[in-house]
C-alpha cells in the first residue's frame, strides 16, 4: 500500500496540510475544514487521511485565529467572546481558502470538493457563495442559516454579553448569511448531514432549509447522534465524494 504523505505548508501566513499518495494520478482536490476551536491536524484528519487513501489530493487549513495561527479571543478570551467571533473567522477563512486554491491548485484542478465540520460547515457555505468551482459541497453538523444559529447559541458563558455583540453585528451576519443570498450559493451537488440530538447546532436549520429549497442537486440526511461525526456519517461522506452509492 502506498504511504500517505502529510506536508505542512504555509501560504501568506496561512498554515495548511496536504494529504496525498506519492506518485499517484489524483482523482480530485478536496478541502476538509475543521470546526470551532479545533485545528487542521485533528478537526477532520480522519476524513483527510481516508480521502487521500482513496486517491484524492486533500487540503486542511487552519481557520483564522485557530491552530498554528491562534489568536485572541481563542487563547485566553472569555467563552462568549469566542462564540461571538465565529462569523469573522468564517469570512476570513473562506477568503484564505480561495486564495490558496487560486494561487496553488486552480491550474491543475478546475473544480474541488469541500467538506466542513460544524464551524467548518459555515465556512463551506461561505466559500460556495464566493466561487463557482465547487463540485461537491458537504456541510456536516452545521447550518445554512447563520443568523438563526447565532441567536440560538446559548452555552456561551455570559449570555447577556454574547447577545449584545450579536445584536450589534446583525447587519453584518445578514450580509454573509447564505439563506439571504441563495442566488450566490454555487455547487454541483450538495450533501447536508446533521444529527437528531445536536444541541450545539440544531438540525432544524438544515432540515427546514432542505424542505423549502430542495432540488435534484441537494441531499439531506439525519443521523441518530449528538454533535458528532460518527462512523456511519464518515463512511457516507467518503462514499459521496468517491461517487459510490449513499443510502439517503
Amino acid at each position: 500500500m502506498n504511504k500517505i504523505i502529510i506536508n505542512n505548508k504555509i501560504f501568506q501566513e496561512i498554515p495548511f496540510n496536504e494529504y496525498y499518495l506519492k506518485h499517484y494520478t489524483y482523482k480530485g482536490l478536496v478541502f476538509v475544514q475543521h470546526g470551532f476551536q479545533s485545528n487542521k491536524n485533528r478537526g477532520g484528519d480522519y476524513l483527510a487521511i481516508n480521502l487521500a487513501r482513496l486517491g484524492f489530493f486533500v487540503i486542511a487549513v487552519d481557520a483564522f485565529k485557530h491552530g498554528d495561527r491562534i489568536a485572541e479571543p481563542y487563547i485566553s478570551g472569555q467563552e462568549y467572546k469566542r462564540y461571538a467571533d465565529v462569523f469573522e473567522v468564517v469570512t476570513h477563512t473562506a477568503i484564505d481558502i480561495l486564495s490558496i486554491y487560486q494561487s496553488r491548485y486552480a491550474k491543475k484542478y478546475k473544480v474541488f470538493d469541500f467538506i466542513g465540520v460544524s464551524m467548518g460547515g459555515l465556512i463551506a457555505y461561505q466559500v460556495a457563495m464566493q466561487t463557482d468551482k465547487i463540485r461537491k459541497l458537504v456541510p456536516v453538523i452545521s447550518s445554512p442559516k447563520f443568523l438563526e444559529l447565532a441567536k440560538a447559541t446559548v452555552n456561551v458563558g455570559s449570555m447577556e454579553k454574547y447577545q449584545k455583540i450579536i445584536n450589534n453585528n446583525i447587519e453584518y451576519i445578514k450580509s454573509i448569511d447564505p439563506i439571504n443570498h441563495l442566488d450566490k450559493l454555487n455547487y454541483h451537488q450538495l450533501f447536508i448531514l446533521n444529527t437528531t440530538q445536536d444541541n450545539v447546532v440544531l438540525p432544524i436549520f438544515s432540515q427546514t432549509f432542505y424542505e423549502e429549497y430542495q432540488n435534484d442537486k441537494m441531499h439531506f440526511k439525519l443521523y441518530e447522534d449528538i454533535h458528532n461525526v460518527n462512523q456511519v456519517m464518515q463512511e457516507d461522506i467518503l462514499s459521496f465524494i468517491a461517487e459510490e452509492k449513499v443510502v439517503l
Side-chain angles (χ1 to χ4, degrees):
M1 180 180 292
N2 288 348
K3 181 180 179 182
I4 295 173
I5 307 298
I6 304 176
N7 276 340
N8 304 120
K9 299 280 188 175
I10 297 178
F11 174 75
Q12 296 181 350
E13 300 184 350
I14 308 165
F16 65 98
N17 289 342
E18 295 176 332
Y19 299 78
Y20 58 92
L21 295 173
K22 196 172 184 179
H23 306 308
Y24 194 87
T25 302
Y26 304 106
K27 296 177 181 177
L29 177 68
V30 186
F31 283 86
V32 176
Q33 188 58 48
H34 69 79
F36 182 64
Q37 299 187 123
S38 188
N39 60 60
K40 65 183 183 302
N41 298 319
R42 63 181 177 86
D45 57 314
Y46 48 89
L47 291 170
I49 290 170
N50 282 306
L51 284 164
R53 188 173 289 122
L54 289 171
F56 292 90
F57 195 97
V58 185
I59 308 295
V61 177
D62 270 336
F64 183 53
K65 298 184 181 180
H66 286 64
D68 290 341
R69 54 173 172 168
I70 193 166
E72 296 293 1
Y74 298 94
I75 299 172
S76 60
Q78 293 174 289
E79 196 169 18
Y80 77 90
K81 290 183 179 179
R82 297 197 298 271
Y83 277 93
D85 193 61
V86 161
F87 297 101
E88 181 185 359
V89 172
V90 167
T91 52
H92 200 298
T93 307
I95 292 169
D96 289 346
I97 287 167
L98 288 173
S99 178
I100 290 172
Y101 169 69
Q102 291 291 346
S103 299
R104 299 178 66 100
Y105 303 104
K107 287 184 179 179
K108 184 173 182 179
Y109 300 99
K110 301 305 180 185
V111 294
F112 61 91
D113 300 329
F114 200 109
I115 304 164
V117 178
S118 193
M119 183 186 75
L122 306 183
I123 295 168
Y125 282 117
Q126 189 63 201
V127 171
M129 290 170 60
Q130 298 180 36
T131 183
D132 60 358
K133 304 300 183 183
I134 295 181
R135 186 181 74 110
K136 294 187 176 181
L137 183 66
V138 187
V140 188
I141 51 174
S142 192
S143 169
K145 299 181 177 182
F146 288 9
L147 186 56
E148 288 191 30
L149 172 63
K151 289 181 175 181
T153 302
V154 292
N155 298 316
V156 295
S158 174
M159 193 64 191
E160 182 179 350
K161 292 179 180 178
Y162 169 79
Q163 287 179 332
K164 183 177 181 180
I165 296 173
I166 294 300
N167 288 338
N168 288 337
N169 290 326
I170 280 180
E171 292 307 313
Y172 169 67
I173 297 172
K174 285 181 179 178
S175 74
I176 64 168
D177 196 335
I179 201 66
N180 295 329
H181 304 281
L182 294 177
D183 59 318
K184 296 181 179 179
L185 197 58
N186 290 299
Y187 53 83
H188 294 173
Q189 290 189 66
L190 170 63
F191 183 21
I192 304 170
L193 300 84
N194 285 86
T195 52
T196 56
Q197 301 170 57
D198 192 342
N199 61 3
V200 178
V201 180
L202 302 179
I204 191 66
F205 304 138
S206 293
Q207 189 167 7
T208 53
F209 171 77
Y210 175 73
E211 289 170 354
E212 188 168 356
Y213 301 106
Q214 62 181 290
N215 56 57
D216 292 341
K217 301 190 299 181
M218 186 187 300
H219 312 280
F220 172 69
K221 189 171 181 179
L222 274 174
Y223 300 79
E224 291 293 332
D225 210 329
I226 56 173
H227 191 69
N228 177 52
V229 185
N230 61 43
Q231 186 66 36
V232 175
M233 296 169 74
Q234 293 174 38
E235 290 173 358
D236 281 353
I237 293 166
L238 295 173
S239 294
F240 180 71
I241 296 295
E243 299 186 349
E244 298 171 4
K245 186 175 181 179
V246 180
V247 179
L248 297 168

